[in-house]
Amino acid sequence: MKWLIIFAALLPLSGIANTVNNNQPGQQGYNPSTQRMQTEMQNQQSRQKYKMQQDQQRQSQDLQQRMQEQRNSATQRLQQSQPGTQPQQPQIQQNNNATTP
């Protein structure tokens, strides 16, 4: 008999815990401010991810350009050091994949 009284006393608490953890529209316990906060956090993460991808792409392009400039410079020095050769203009590589920030 004692366990029945304890069970009856704890039963409403389990119902309250269920409604607090349930965050679906149209159901008891739905909290629209929590939903907005979650949506804003997801949007912020998406923006940060996009910005990181753009930064990484820009850094990669800058690195490729610096490496090409170094190759051109080394080629030019090598050609100038060779006796009897005409110095050539370094080839400039066009980057058609540039993105606008």
Side-chain angles (χ1 to χ4, degrees):
M1 183 65 140
K2 196 177 202 183
W3 64 271
L4 184 60
I5 295 172
I6 294 172
F7 179 74
L10 294 177
L11 190 60
L13 294 177
S14 67
I16 292 171
N18 189 27
T19 54
V20 169
N21 291 330
N22 199 355
N23 198 17
Q24 299 298 320
Q27 293 185 355
Q28 186 179 6
Y30 171 65
N31 188 348
S33 63
T34 302
Q35 188 71 31
R36 282 192 300 272
M37 185 172 59
Q38 289 173 344
T39 302
E40 180 58 34
M41 288 173 58
Q42 289 171 345
N43 290 340
Q44 183 178 5
Q45 287 176 341
S46 295
R47 288 189 300 268
Q48 288 173 343
K49 182 179 177 182
Y50 176 75
K51 185 180 182 318
M52 287 176 58
Q53 288 172 339
Q54 294 292 355
D55 290 345
Q56 184 179 18
Q57 185 177 12
R58 191 175 305 113
Q59 289 172 358
S60 177
Q61 289 171 349
D62 290 345
L63 179 61
Q64 288 176 356
Q65 183 177 357
R66 284 194 306 270
M67 291 175 64
Q68 183 63 42
E69 289 169 356
Q70 289 177 352
R71 282 192 295 266
N72 291 344
S73 177
T75 301
Q76 187 177 14
R77 283 193 311 269
L78 182 65
Q79 289 174 348
Q80 288 173 350
S81 69
Q82 299 293 323
T85 59
Q86 295 287 333
Q88 294 180 357
Q89 294 295 325
Q91 295 178 354
I92 298 174
Q93 193 174 38
Q94 292 288 334
N95 187 355
N96 296 331
N97 296 331
T99 59
T100 55

